[in-house]
Amino acid sequence: MDKQELMISVEFFPPKTEEGMAKLREARTQLARLNPKFFSVTFGAGGSTRDRTLDTVLDIQAAGFEAAPHISCISSSKQEIRDLLQLYQQHDIKRLVALRGDIPSGEVSAGDFRYANELVGFIRQETGDHFHIEVAAYPEFHPEAASPAADLANFKRKVDAGANSAITQYFYNPDAYFYFRDECTRLGMDMPIVPGIMPIYNITQLARFSSVCGAEIPRWLRLRLQDYGDDLASLRALGLDVVTGVCEKLLAGGAPGLHFYTLNQSGIITTLAERLGLKTA
C-alpha cells in the first residue's frame, strides 16, 4: 500500500489544566504533519471526563482536523447515551470510538448496557449512518475473554451491530495481529483493523498499562528494559528500535494503517514516523 493511503490516526487524553491543553496543542501541531485521518480523544470511566473530552474534541475541530471522541457505555443509561449522541451531532462530530468501558467496582450500577456491541447497535438505532463507528480489537485477546474463540465471537458481534472499522490494543508481536486479522477474514469480517502502536516511554508505566489491558510484553524485551533501570536514554532507544521494527513488519504485511497512542506527547512518535517514512509535511 502507498504510504499516502495509510490510515494514520492519533490518540490523546483530555487534559485537566490549561497548561495541559497548551502542551496537547503543541503535540497536535507536530503530529498533524503526519496527515492523520483523525485524532481520537479518550473518555473517562462512567463518563467522568465527558466535558473535557468534548472541549478537547472541539479544540481539535476548530484547528481544522477531524476528531473522534471515545464513548463508553458502562454505568450509563440509554437516555444518557442518547443525550451524548445528540450533543455530538449538534457539534458536527462524525466519528466515534465505541467502547464498553471498565466495569465498576462495588455497588455502582453497570447501567443499561453490558457490552460494546449493544452500544454500537444503539448508536445505529438512534443515529443511522451519521457516525463512522470505530471499535476495539484485541489481537492478544481481551483479558476477560473465556477463550480466543469467544473473543473473536464478541468482536464479530460488534461488527455485525454496525461497526465500520477497528483499532487494536497495542502489542509487540506482529504475528498476533496477522493471526487475528486472518481469523476475522475467515469469519467474513471484511473491515479495516488498524494496529494500535504504543511507544515505550518507561518500563514501570508500560508494565502497569499491560497488566490492565492484557497486552504481552515479550520476556526478552521486559528483561532488557528492566536491565536499563534509570537509564531512560538507552531504554527509549531500544524501545524505538523495537517499535519501529513492529511497525515495519505490520505495514509490510498489509496493515491498513497505524493508530498511535501518544500519552499527549509527540517526540518519540515524530521520530518513529520519520523512520517509517510517514512524515509528509
Side-chain angles (χ1 to χ4, degrees), residues 74-264:
I74 286 292
S75 298
S76 296
S77 69
K78 288 184 177 180
Q79 189 58 51
E80 287 171 330
I81 295 297
R82 183 179 292 116
D83 291 344
L84 190 57
L85 293 173
Q86 291 174 353
L87 180 65
Y88 288 159
Q89 284 181 297
Q90 289 167 10
H91 287 287
D92 201 32
I93 293 165
K94 299 290 182 62
R95 186 183 297 260
L96 299 174
V97 181
L99 308 167
R100 182 196 69 178
D102 296 329
I103 295 177
S105 58
E107 300 300 318
V108 179
S109 170
D112 290 338
F113 303 90
R114 292 187 302 162
Y115 303 110
N117 67 286
E118 296 174 357
L119 174 60
V120 173
F122 184 75
I123 294 170
R124 287 289 177 236
Q125 173 188 315
E126 293 291 314
T127 66
D129 292 328
H130 176 84
F131 293 107
H132 181 111
I133 302 177
E134 305 274 356
V135 293
Y138 295 84
E140 294 175 326
F141 309 113
H142 193 282
E144 297 173 26
S147 68
D151 199 51
L152 277 166
N154 182 58
F155 181 67
K156 191 172 190 305
R157 282 190 286 271
K158 292 189 283 190
V159 175
D160 292 343
N164 298 105
S165 51
I167 300 167
T168 79
Q169 182 56 266
Y170 70 86
F171 55 88
Y172 299 103
N173 178 4
D175 285 341
Y177 169 82
F178 293 129
Y179 279 122
F180 180 84
R181 179 197 63 185
D182 292 348
E183 281 293 282
C184 289
T185 300
R186 183 181 65 81
L187 294 171
M189 291 180 273
D190 184 20
M191 64 185 297
I193 301 174
V194 177
I197 305 299
M198 175 69 83
I200 298 174
Y201 299 96
N202 69 69
I203 182 60
T204 302
Q205 181 187 62
L206 183 65
R208 185 174 70 252
F209 289 164
S210 297
S211 67
V212 172
C213 71
E216 179 183 349
I217 307 174
R219 182 175 182 272
W220 72 269
L221 177 59
R222 176 169 48 81
L223 293 177
R224 286 284 301 274
L225 293 173
Q226 288 174 344
D227 196 44
Y228 284 128
D230 295 330
D231 184 356
L232 287 182
S234 295
L235 183 149
R236 291 183 178 177
L238 172 63
L240 188 58
D241 287 344
V242 169
V243 175
T244 300
V246 169
C247 292
E248 288 173 341
K249 290 176 183 176
L250 290 168
L251 297 178
L258 300 169
H259 178 80
F260 294 106
Y261 296 107
T262 70
L263 305 185
N264 289 10

Side-chain angles (χ1 to χ4, degrees), residues 2-20:
D2 190 300
K3 289 185 178 179
Q4 298 294 328
E5 300 175 358
L6 291 174
M7 298 171 62
I8 303 300
S9 52
V10 171
E11 182 171 302
F12 294 133
F13 62 84
K16 296 180 180 179
T17 64
E18 279 302 316
E19 180 184 9

